Amino acid sequence: MTPPTAQDARIHNIGYRRYEGERLGAGYARLSLFVHSLRGGFGLGRSARSKVLPFGLFAIMCFPAVVMVAVAVMTGLDEMPIEYQGYGLAMQPILSLYIALAAPQMVSLDLRFRTIPLYFSRPMSPADYVRAKFAALSAAIFLFVAIPLTIAYAGGLLAELGFADQTSGYLRGLVAAAVLAVTHAGVALVVASRTPRRGFGVAAIIAVLTVPYFAVTAVQAIANEQGGSDAIGWLGLFSPTTLMDGLQSAFLGGTSGFPGEAGPSTGAGVGYLLVTVGLVALCHVLLVRRYRKAGL
Amino acid sequence: MSVSTSTGAGLTSGVGASVINTTALTKRYPRVTALDGLTMDIGPGVTGLVGANGAGKSTLIKILLGLAPATEGTARVLGHDSAAEGTAIREQVGYMPEHDCLPPDVSATEFVVHMGRMSGLPPTAARERTADTLRHVGLYEERYRPMGGYSTGMKQRVKLAQALVHDPRLVLLDEPTNGLDPAGRDDMLGLIRRIHTDFGISVLVTSHLLGELERTSDHIVVIDGGRLLRSQTTASFTEATASLAVEVTDSDTHPDGAAALRAALAGRGVEATPAPGQLLVVETADEAVYDTVRDAVAELGLGLVRMEQRRHRIAEVFQEAQP
């Protein structure tokens, strides 16, 4: 606690002052909420304790990128050991854990401490609130994936790997990270906004992100043994993780993690795109509906 | 039935005559009617909105903020239609909810700055106004500590500060004295009074206790079952409801002091009724009654233990109003 200074003493004698300055309205409030939530996603502006997990996970997320660079430099490889497009998916367990922590941090606390009415009694509408939170979590997940990619890219250039190759891979990696961020943010927020209990939110998000993945992978493995390689592609539509995997292998030139590296056919690829767009739109609608009723 | 206040608007000059105006405002939920043809006109100043739990106070606030549509009728706040111009209303109105709404792990300063920005204040202005507002509500060094450790009184002050940080023209305070001890209640009521007299901001404050709003408000609106029961200036309300409780000692010459005083008062044309606990209740028709009681007690040579204004409960007003 700081002792009062002479300046404080002077301020104490001023009476109430009106505010005649500008009022920046809902758009500015939305942007402020976005920045505030994005910082909160990494524990910035909160207690030291809430910074430990996000930054710990982030360090783990960056570690393979650093190792990749080291290996590439030491052994003189001519390309990166892991594709940029698949980096986020390869790190899926760490990423899921981060999303499961960040999403309840962004929305469950406002519900639990009943801060929501304070937002909605201001110019901001429920839709503004949802967009700010959606954008903030998407941006947090994107940074979580894109920064390790950037480390790998910078290292790749230092190791004098092919510039054109590296740049095109890096850019496609960024696109994959952006799509992954938006879809996962949507799913995680829909789950987190249903409960004011942070612990439930964390567990439910991990379940929603991993259970369908294991189910789809298991069925794909069976389909592979039965020789139905076409079915493998279509099955990937049914979990967020395999959805991203199919999308990046269909459109971004990556290799899928499906059995036999069988990516979706062109027809299925269009299906992947439609399902992804539909999923994001659905999450947005569900969130706005959730908050329209969360009034006072 | 509509009464507008004529109290000194003082700093709010320039504000139109009507701050809140409702016409046949009705809100029906599938199972209950929360507001039933409510028509009232509230001018600048401090207005107390009194009603029992479930009388429709919170529903009214929701409609005034433009957050819930009315089933029928219209509401205008600061000249804006609440159904169509909710955003314009919420820019100029502050709202303090009844329930807890503070995250425990951030400090009052950080929280109020954030809420100021949510109201559209640029970053520098939000910080300056936060420091000003927290000082006005009486939070000093503790404003840098996490709010989880605050007392109820301090939390209520932060809730009030976030409603004032953007310098609104009207604040809606929902049960601001809830959970406070008597001293904290008096502090809060004093603060509410100052919001109008010193800051020039009109106030609509709700409570289920009429007594505490009598002292603070210029104007009292009583609603029950979503209908307007009374709307009048506090002065006329006090006349109708105030009474004086008097307790005196017994002396050797007057073994039953209360009875002796009652007789003496009757001789002076003031009627007193005995109440449990050796109390006399005197209806205070005007200020002179205080002097009459004092003189009568002095003449009898009795000790005056206490003489206090009796606060009427909202229930009594209902009994009076509903024959």
Side-chain angles (χ1 to χ4, degrees):
Chain A
M1 226 175 279
T2 49
T5 62
Q7 204 183 13
D8 285 338
R10 185 171 55 81
I11 290 172
H12 274 253
N13 294 323
I14 304 174
Y16 187 78
R17 289 185 291 180
R18 299 234 73 106
Y19 178 69
E20 309 288 356
E22 53 182 344
R23 291 166 197 264
L24 300 170
Y28 162 82
R30 200 167 53 209
L31 183 66
S32 300
L33 184 60
F34 166 76
V35 174
H36 185 261
S37 304
L38 179 56
R39 285 167 50 86
F42 289 97
L44 301 173
R46 293 222 167 221
S47 64
R49 224 173 34 149
S50 37
K51 294 181 182 67
V52 175
L53 272 172
F55 280 98
L57 291 174
F58 184 61
I60 299 173
M61 195 76 186
C62 292
F63 185 66
V66 175
V67 172
M68 262 161 58
V69 171
V71 169
V73 171
M74 306 288 263
T75 61
L77 291 177
D78 56 354
E79 61 174 12
M80 281 289 173
I82 305 179
E83 287 174 349
Y84 287 107
Q85 303 93 303
Y87 193 88
L89 293 168
M91 298 299 287
Q92 183 70 22
I94 303 298
L95 190 63
S96 297
L97 206 53
Y98 173 69
I99 295 170
L101 285 168
Q105 158 77 40
M106 282 189 195
V107 294
S108 303
L109 295 183
D110 284 347
L111 292 170
R112 176 156 157 217
F113 300 121
R114 305 179 75 183
T115 318
I116 296 283
L118 299 188
Y119 288 107
F120 296 167
S121 63
R122 294 179 147 76
M124 166 178 286
S125 70
D128 287 327
Y129 178 86
V130 164
R131 276 170 211 145
K133 292 288 182 181
F134 203 152
L137 186 58
S138 303
I141 300 172
F142 177 74
L143 288 178
F144 209 75
V145 179
I147 291 175
L149 288 187
T150 309
I151 294 173
Y153 176 60
L157 292 187
L158 286 178
E160 294 180 336
L161 305 180
F163 177 79
D165 257 15
Q166 286 299 306
T167 307
S168 105
Y170 174 62
L171 292 178
R172 280 180 287 168
L174 290 186
V175 173
V179 177
L180 178 138
V182 175
T183 47
H184 283 60
V187 172
L189 284 178
V190 167
V191 176
S193 67
R194 298 283 146 178
T195 171
R197 305 271 295 270
R198 194 173 172 166
F200 282 170
V202 171
I205 291 168
I206 290 180
V208 167
L209 291 183
T210 55
V211 172
Y213 172 69
F214 288 128
V216 166
T217 312
V219 178
Q220 278 180 332
I222 295 167
N224 190 38
E225 278 181 19
Q226 308 277 327
S229 65
D230 215 33
I232 294 175
W234 289 102
L235 281 168
L237 287 171
F238 294 95
S239 93
T241 311
T242 50
L243 185 65
M244 291 300 103
D245 202 4
L247 206 60
Q248 60 97 7
S249 77
F251 293 102
L252 298 168
T255 317
S256 82
F258 293 170
E261 297 191 350
S265 59
T266 319
V270 175
Y272 273 73
L273 201 59
L274 290 177
V275 170
T276 306
V277 172
L279 181 66
V280 172
L282 178 69
C283 290
H284 185 262
V285 169
L286 287 176
L287 282 169
V288 172
R289 267 182 52 180
R290 165 75 184 85
Y291 281 99
R292 214 176 42 210
K293 297 207 159 191
L296 298 188
Chain B
M1 182 173 178
S2 80
V3 180
S4 46
T5 48
S6 55
T7 42
L11 292 163
T12 44
S13 56
V15 174
S18 175
V19 173
I20 297 172
N21 177 294
T22 69
T23 312
L25 194 65
T26 300
K27 176 72 180 178
R28 282 191 208 96
Y29 292 108
R31 301 179 130 224
V32 286
T33 301
L35 292 175
D36 189 3
L38 187 68
T39 298
M40 60 177 190
D41 189 42
I42 294 173
V46 179
T47 303
L49 178 66
V50 187
N53 292 330
K57 289 173 291 179
S58 298
T59 305
L60 178 62
I61 288 183
K62 252 192 242 183
I63 293 175
L64 293 180
L65 284 170
L67 295 176
T71 315
E72 283 163 30
T74 56
R76 297 186 77 79
V77 178
L78 301 168
H80 297 287
D81 179 23
S82 72
E85 302 166 280
T87 311
I89 291 173
R90 292 194 297 271
E91 264 180 14
Q92 300 178 53
V93 172
Y95 167 63
M96 172 179 175
E98 177 182 359
H99 54 74
D100 268 347
C101 55
L102 308 176
D105 62 337
V106 294
S107 72
T109 299
E110 290 169 77
F111 182 71
V112 178
V113 167
H114 177 58
M115 283 300 152
R117 297 183 63 166
M118 290 302 105
S119 288
L121 297 186
T124 319
R127 275 196 300 278
E128 283 174 9
R129 289 223 31 110
T130 295
D132 270 17
T133 313
L134 285 174
R135 179 169 48 80
H136 282 300
V137 301
L139 272 182
Y140 301 97
E141 291 308 316
E142 55 273 27
R143 66 179 187 262
Y144 301 113
R145 292 207 311 262
M147 295 188 286
Y150 285 12
S151 67
T152 309
M154 282 154 73
K155 284 183 184 163
Q156 293 297 85
R157 286 164 197 265
V158 181
K159 280 163 64 177
L160 185 58
Q162 66 78 29
L164 291 169
V165 65
H166 53 295
D167 188 25
R169 285 171 58 196
L170 167 72
V171 283
L172 308 175
L173 311 178
D174 202 353
E175 302 268 0
T177 56
N178 240 9
L180 296 177
D181 59 25
R185 193 169 281 245
D186 283 345
D187 286 352
M188 179 55 73
L189 292 172
L191 204 48
I192 291 168
R193 190 69 222 154
R194 277 185 51 215
I195 292 174
H196 174 58
T197 54
D198 295 1
F199 308 172
I201 297 169
S202 288
V203 180
L204 180 73
V205 50
T206 77
S207 177
H208 55 279
L209 298 171
L210 175 60
E212 63 179 29
L213 292 184
E214 266 176 15
R215 285 177 285 166
T216 316
S217 311
D218 306 312
H219 189 93
I220 298 266
V221 174
V222 183
I223 60 172
D224 182 45
R227 281 195 305 272
L228 187 69
L229 218 52
R230 283 188 175 196
S231 171
Q232 56 195 102
T233 57
T234 312
S236 57
F237 225 105
T238 317
E239 274 168 29
T241 61
S243 60
L244 203 59
V246 183
E247 186 181 350
V248 290
T249 57
D250 301 331
S251 68
D252 292 339
T253 41
H254 303 287
D256 186 349
L261 177 61
R262 191 174 165 214
L265 284 175
R268 292 164 192 258
V270 175
E271 197 181 326
T273 44
Q278 294 298 308
L279 281 178
L280 277 182
V281 178
V282 183
E283 294 299 325
T284 46
D286 59 84
E287 297 278 306
V289 170
Y290 297 89
D291 294 346
T292 313
V293 172
R294 182 201 58 202
D295 295 345
V297 172
E299 213 162 272
L300 293 168
L302 300 172
L304 186 57
V305 179
R306 61 173 152 155
M307 178 160 86
E308 61 184 16
Q309 274 204 327
R310 267 216 152 174
R311 300 273 165 228
H312 277 242
R313 308 285 304 224
I314 187 70
E316 294 171 51
V317 176
F318 290 150
Q319 282 160 9
E320 271 177 54
Q322 295 168 332

